[in-house]
Each structure stands twice: as C-alpha cells, then as structure tokens.
Amino acid sequence: MQDFIHVKDVASVGEGKLVSVRGWVYRKREIGGKVFIVVRDSTGIVQAVVGKDNGDAFKKAEQLNIESSLVLRGYVKREPRAPGGFEIQVIDIPWSFVGWQFPINEDAAKADSEYLLDMRHLWVRSRRMQSVLKIRDTVFGAIHEWFRGNGYYEVQAPMFITSAVEGGSTLFEVNYFDSKAYLTQSSQFYLEALIFSLEKVYTVAPSFRAEKSRTRRHLTEFWHAEAEVAWAGLEDIFTVTENLISHVVKRVLERNLEELSILGRRTEPLENVKPPFPRVSYDEAIGILNRKGFDLKWGSDIGADEERALTLEFTQPIHLHHFPEQVKAFYHRNDPARPETTLSVDVLAPEGYGEVVGGGERIFDYDELVGKIRRFNLNPDDYQWYLDLRRYGSVPHAGFGLGVDRLVMWICGLDHIRDALPFPRDMRRLKP
Ligand code: 4AD
Ligand code: MG
C-alpha cells in the first residue's frame, strides 16, 4: 500500500524526497511546456509541476479541470515562488477523475452569493468555507470540552414537542400521525426536568424557529448549546457564560490562526476576550442608547440596531441583564427586589454582532409560575409537566442557551449567519 502525505506536510518532508499526495485541482495553468497544478486537500494547497518530457502524466495533467480529483507522485523541490515555498515535480499521476467543468469559477465566487448558496454542496470545498468549517469544528469541540471539564452531564432532549418555550409565533407545526406536534425551539424545559436527576446538564442540538423575517442573524434551524444548573442564580450564569465563551475563543486562537487569516479576520478583538465580561443593566443600556440618539423608552425591546450600537461601546462581550418582564419569556424569574424586571441576561458579542446567549433564573415557585403563565395569556394546561417540576422538590435554578452559529459568525467575522454553517436553512432556503 502506497503511503500518502497531506499537502501541509510536503514542506517538512525535505528537498529531493519522493512523495505521493491526493486531492483536487485548485488552480491549473499551462506555460512554457509545463502544466502547473495547485493541488488542494483538507490541509492546504501545494503546487505540482508536470513537464512535457513526462508524456503520460503530461497528457493527464492537460485534461484536468478545476476540482478534478487526482493522485500524484513526485519529488519535492524548493521553489520560493510556489505557495508554501516547495513544489512537487511530478513523475506520474496514477489516478485522476477529470469530471465535468466545475460550475463555480472565480467570477461567480465574487459576483453572486445566491448562486453560491444554490451551489453550497460544491462551494463547501472553497478555502473560505473550509476555514469556517475548521473553526466551527474547534468551537463545537471546545464547548463539549468546557462543559465536561466543569462537571456537567451531556443529555439529549426530543425535537418533537407539544408546547412553546419561546412563544407561539415561531413554532413549526408538523403532522404527527393523527395529531399535530411542533419542532422544538429550545431544549430548556427538558433540561430543567433533568437537573433534578443530574444537577448540572447541557445539550448541543438543533433548535427550530419559523422566523419570517430575513435577517443577517436568524436561521430557521440553528445549533443551540444549552445548559441548566440546580441551586444556581443569575450570578452563576454570568460566570458560566463568560468562562465558556472565553474558553472557546482561546481554543480557536490556539488552533485556527491560519483559518482566521484566510478569512481576513483580525484577531485582536478575539484576544480581548477574557473573563469577567462587563455587566450592563437594561436601565444603563437605555441610558447609553438614548445618549447615542436612539428614541427608546423603558420597557421596549432592544433590537439588532440597538444591540449593535451598544456593543460598539465595549471591546469585550457584555452581559446585558435585568430586562423588563414584558420583553422576556414567561419562565424568567422576576427580581424580588424590583418585580418589574427579570433575573435575565443576554450576552452580546462585540463589534456590532450582538446577542449570542439568552438565559437567567427560572421561576421555581408553583403559584408564581401559574400566575405568570396567566398574566402572559397562556394556558397552564399546556404546561402541566413543566409545572410538575415545581410540585416535587423544586429548587432555585438557572440556565441559558448559546446560539453556536452566531458565535461562529462573530468569531469568523462573517457578514451573514448563513456562512457560519455548511447547509443553512432560512425562510427561502431548504436545499441543498
Ligand atoms: O434567546 P433565546 O430565544 O433563548 C432560549 O431559547 C432559551 N430557552 C435558552 C435557554 O435559556 N436554555 O435563544 C438563545 C440563543 C440566542 O441568544 C441566539 O444566539 C440563538 O439562541 N438563536 C438563534 N440563532 C440563529 N437563528 C435563530 N433564529 C435564533 N434564535 C435564537
Ligand atoms: Mg433571546
């Protein structure tokens, strides 16, 4: 069996060594009786050159298209003009699949993002997408690493559910045999049930929202990292989220400097990310925003534009806390010291990105929860098993949900959330 090396290792093998690589044609040009092929694999790109004197390989090389696959063998040679400083002087091409003309060329790549979304199954091969995918891999890995390293059990919740967590307007309805069900908006209620068994739990799973507006930061299917902790309060959520996010960013800086550079991402804003994050109360935020010219009254929600303006005042992510009751879901615990506000927090990513986390303390008293469900014009019958958690051994508890795609979007410095994942789903897009 032939030994293959990855493209990134060609430079370290050393001049004069015979190597075999496998990959895809990234670029190709013919000059002066030679074919220059830039070969791409999962680790990078390397230049290979095939001379006319090498009849059989030359004929094969001439036929290759962009993204044709190939296996080649040749000698490593120092070549300062080649990417990485080395090239492969090809002696043979034991395998090539020429295929059709690749439908994405450089002009298409620049011109039309809708076209690239239609071609996403092929565009995932681009160096940009490849870099995002590698960073995304680090982010998911680091989330699991952090939770597992801090005493959390990983759990799984169902995706088919029967009642809303985050309000009825964004529920996806599905036919479920003879009845109807919904796709989950959040695993929170199930995590709340599981803390009575495991105390500290987390899950990383899809959540679904029938978001009818098309924005830069909303998907209809997104990846949600959620956690719930028994005997915990708002203060604990501040600490957990700032440590978790800082850990993820640190791992990306350790592992993905090359990918960040391919994406043209400045690393300085990421290097600033260290706990503790500044805390800004909703009241203070309204003050800051009013001074910046936003006509915002106490009690109104803080939207994307306001979040953007607010985050530009800080160099770190911020904890925006104590939202008014009416802008947060019914399960949020009201602050006994100021009942018109809730013990809630959103973490806003800097540089204008805004909300990446929502969470806080939950109502743990049965009567208080029933009262608030009614005050929100919801039906307590729809929440019977959730209310049970307040009937048997209820304890103060808190939790949060982190939008992983939004986190990746900010870390990568992307303009649009759909570029933070390989196969995005939004109002108008169900394929590829
Ligand atoms: O703020 P949200 O709606 O909070 C919850 O769902 C809570 N039940 C979570 C919990 O406490 N366990 O959503 C949490 C995060 C948001 O901050 C955002 O980052 C992300 O999920 N998110 C979305 N990401 C992409 N597209 C969407 N449509 C999103 N909706 C929420
Ligand atoms: Mg939210």
Side-chain angles (χ1 to χ4, degrees):
M1 175 65 187
Q2 177 95 44
D3 277 339
F4 295 94
I5 63 165
H6 270 128
V7 155
K8 76 162 175 4
D9 297 324
V10 168
S12 56
V13 167
E15 180 132 32
K17 289 275 165 41
L18 186 62
V19 295
S20 293
V21 301
R22 351 175 232 206
W24 294 266
V25 176
Y26 181 66
R27 268 199 300 265
K28 197 190 99 174
R29 67 205 153 91
E30 225 179 307
I31 6 172
K34 289 178 176 167
V35 181
F36 292 88
I37 308 165
V38 177
V39 180
R40 171 186 75 70
D41 71 5
S42 62
T43 66
I45 53 175
V46 70
Q47 176 169 294
V49 44
V50 197
K52 213 169 209 157
D53 48 342
N54 190 341
D56 194 37
F58 186 79
K59 237 177 278 152
K60 282 184 183 166
E62 271 191 311
Q63 284 161 14
L64 294 169
N65 285 325
I66 299 297
E67 289 301 319
S68 294
S69 55
L70 80 165
V71 176
L72 57 78
R73 206 157 64 99
Y75 291 100
V76 177
K77 181 167 171 275
R78 193 176 292 279
E79 172 49 70
R81 287 166 297 180
F86 288 85
E87 68 178 13
I88 300 171
Q89 301 210 299
V90 176
I91 55 169
D92 61 356
I93 300 181
W95 195 74
S96 66
F97 177 83
V98 175
W100 297 20
Q101 197 79 39
F102 199 61
I104 306 173
N105 57 29
E106 274 178 33
D107 292 340
K110 279 184 212 118
D112 185 355
S113 62
E114 281 300 316
Y115 180 70
L116 293 182
L117 283 161
D118 292 338
M119 290 289 140
R120 201 36 101 69
H121 52 296
L122 301 176
W123 184 239
V124 290
R125 306 174 184 198
S126 64
R127 294 205 90 203
R128 268 192 83 78
M129 279 307 301
Q130 199 185 42
S131 300
V132 170
L133 292 170
K134 287 182 185 178
I135 291 168
R136 197 175 159 91
D137 167 70
T138 302
V139 168
F140 276 78
I143 289 171
H144 285 287
E145 182 185 42
W146 191 87
F147 279 121
R148 287 166 178 273
N150 284 277
Y152 288 74
Y153 288 97
E154 184 181 1
V155 296
Q156 291 77 29
M159 301 288 107
F160 286 127
I161 50 112
T162 56
S163 50
V165 181
E166 296 299 327
S169 67
T170 61
L171 278 177
F172 273 114
E173 197 178 306
V174 288
N175 292 326
Y176 197 78
F177 305 107
D178 294 330
S179 63
K180 67 180 186 194
Y182 306 103
L183 295 179
T184 190
Q185 298 166 309
S186 158
S187 300
Q188 177 189 325
F189 292 177
Y190 295 94
L191 299 197
E192 285 188 61
L194 290 165
I195 58 164
F196 296 91
S197 176
L198 299 169
E199 296 189 28
K200 289 166 74 170
V201 297
Y202 83 99
T203 193
V204 182
S207 281
F208 303 88
R209 310 264 170 115
E211 303 279 0
K212 288 176 198 84
S213 55
R214 295 183 76 235
T215 74
R216 287 166 185 277
R217 58 181 200 166
H218 286 92
L219 297 162
T220 52
E221 175 178 340
F222 68 95
W223 280 83
H224 209 169
E226 296 185 89
E228 201 66 31
V229 187
W231 313 105
L234 181 60
E235 197 66 35
D236 300 291
I237 300 306
F238 290 149
T239 314
V240 169
T241 54
E242 66 200 9
N243 282 303
L244 169 65
I245 291 171
S246 301
H247 175 75
V248 170
V249 169
K250 184 176 92 166
R251 282 284 183 259
V252 171
L253 287 170
E254 283 165 7
R255 295 191 182 155
N256 299 109
L257 284 181
E258 195 185 327
E259 286 75 28
L260 292 169
S261 139
I262 289 171
L263 294 171
R265 175 64 163 127
R266 287 194 312 130
T267 55
E268 196 189 318
L270 302 177
E271 280 148 17
N272 289 337
V273 178
K274 291 196 179 73
F277 296 167
R279 297 176 187 186
V280 183
S281 71
Y282 173 89
D283 295 3
E284 288 166 328
I286 294 292
I288 295 173
L289 289 166
N290 286 341
R291 282 197 294 283
K292 290 181 70 113
F294 286 88
D295 180 22
L296 211 64
K297 296 202 174 47
W298 196 96
S300 34
D301 202 1
I302 295 191
D305 291 342
E306 290 85 4
E307 282 184 9
R308 182 179 169 73
L310 201 54
T311 67
L312 295 176
E313 301 288 294
F314 300 87
T315 56
Q316 282 251 63
I318 59 174
H319 290 299
L320 181 57
H321 61 92
H322 274 86
F323 287 85
E325 171 180 280
Q326 64 268 32
V327 304
K328 285 288 171 196
F330 72 90
Y331 53 74
H332 285 279
R333 185 178 173 215
N334 295 48
D335 188 344
R338 242 191 105 198
E340 71 279 17
T341 66
T342 52
L343 295 162
S344 55
V345 59
D346 279 4
V347 178
L348 310 189
E351 303 171 83
Y353 279 91
E355 180 186 348
V356 290
V357 165
E361 281 186 47
R362 321 307 191 185
I363 299 175
F364 59 88
D365 178 76
Y366 179 87
D367 293 327
E368 192 181 330
L369 185 56
V370 172
K372 196 158 170 187
I373 288 174
R374 293 223 167 90
R375 208 156 66 241
F376 273 55
N377 289 319
L378 299 167
N379 183 355
D381 293 344
D382 291 340
Y383 297 97
Q384 277 315 309
W385 73 255
Y386 188 59
L387 285 165
D388 257 358
L389 309 179
R390 281 75 184 164
R391 289 187 179 107
Y392 308 103
S394 192
V395 293
H397 62 284
F400 67 91
L402 163 71
V404 187
D405 315 281
R406 285 198 187 170
L407 185 64
V408 171
M409 176 188 177
W410 160 60
I411 289 175
C412 293
L414 306 174
D415 290 338
H416 204 296
I417 193 168
R418 64 190 176 204
D419 290 327
L421 69 171
F423 301 108
R425 292 288 176 261
D426 65 25
M427 206 183 146
R428 297 198 317 193
R429 189 162 290 281
L430 264 173
K431 62 179 190 195

